């Protein structure tokens, strides 16, 4: 079985892909501009980054960061319930997707660095 590593060429292609997606996102937000909308499509960035994480690490290792992501989502719900004494989706989703994108970016960068040292499963 071939060792799953991330080569420099793959990293460059993924960075180019992320830049192209960023430009397309900018264009879409300019075309469909709404004054109350966010400046980024956080849910889209999160999904794209998780796809790249799975591509880099395989199907086994991303399960651990995804499990932690679910725990963080539940903690965010608990925090909102404690702070506001209620759970409101309209307040939850923007914060959830923004933090999810930040978390996915950290895991993505980690996947580029640690993949060669992960044991084969």
């Amino acid at each position: 079985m071939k060792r799953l590593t991330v080569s420099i060429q793959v990293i460059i292609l993924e960075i180019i892909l992320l830049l192209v997606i960023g430009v397309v996102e900018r264009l879409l937000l300019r075309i469909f501009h709404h004054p109350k909308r966010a400046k980024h499509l956080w849910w889209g960035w999160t999904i794209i980054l998780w796809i790249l994480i799975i591509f880099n690490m395989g199907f086994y290792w991303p399960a651990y960061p995804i499990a932690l992501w679910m725990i963080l989502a539940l903690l965010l719900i608990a925090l909102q319930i404690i702070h506001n004494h209620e759970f409101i989706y309209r307040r939850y989703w923007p914060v959830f997707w923004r933090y999810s994108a930040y978390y996915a970016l950290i895991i993505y960068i980690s996947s580029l660095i640690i993949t060669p040292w992960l044991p084969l499963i």
Side-chain angles (χ1 to χ4, degrees):
M1 187 172 173
K2 188 178 176 185
R3 177 81 173 133
L4 189 72
T5 60
V6 182
S7 69
I8 299 297
Q9 295 162 339
V10 171
I11 292 172
I12 292 170
L13 285 174
E14 288 178 0
I15 290 172
I16 291 171
L17 175 70
L18 291 173
L19 290 173
V20 168
I21 291 170
V23 169
V24 169
E25 177 198 32
R26 268 290 204 229
L27 292 173
L28 288 175
L29 289 175
R30 284 184 183 227
I31 291 170
F32 301 109
H33 179 67
H34 297 287
K36 293 185 179 182
R37 293 278 178 162
K39 294 180 181 175
H40 293 287
L41 299 173
W42 295 111
W43 58 270
W45 282 106
T46 304
I47 292 168
I48 290 165
L49 287 171
W50 279 112
I51 290 170
L52 292 175
I53 290 166
I54 291 171
F55 177 75
N56 291 340
M57 296 176 78
F59 290 107
Y60 178 78
W61 290 109
Y64 295 103
I66 289 173
L68 182 60
W69 182 36
M70 288 186 245
I71 292 169
L72 293 174
L74 293 173
L75 289 174
L76 185 60
I77 290 171
L79 183 68
Q80 185 182 14
I81 290 172
I82 291 168
H83 185 265
N84 298 329
H85 304 290
E86 62 186 350
F87 178 69
I88 302 172
Y89 283 108
R90 188 170 284 211
R91 291 182 184 172
Y92 174 75
W93 287 119
V95 175
F96 169 75
W97 285 114
R98 186 174 60 245
Y99 287 147
S100 294
Y102 295 150
Y103 177 70
L105 181 63
I106 292 168
I107 300 301
Y108 172 71
I109 292 169
S110 300
S111 76
L112 295 175
I113 296 168
I114 67 169
T115 298
W117 293 285
L118 292 175
L120 290 175
I121 301 296

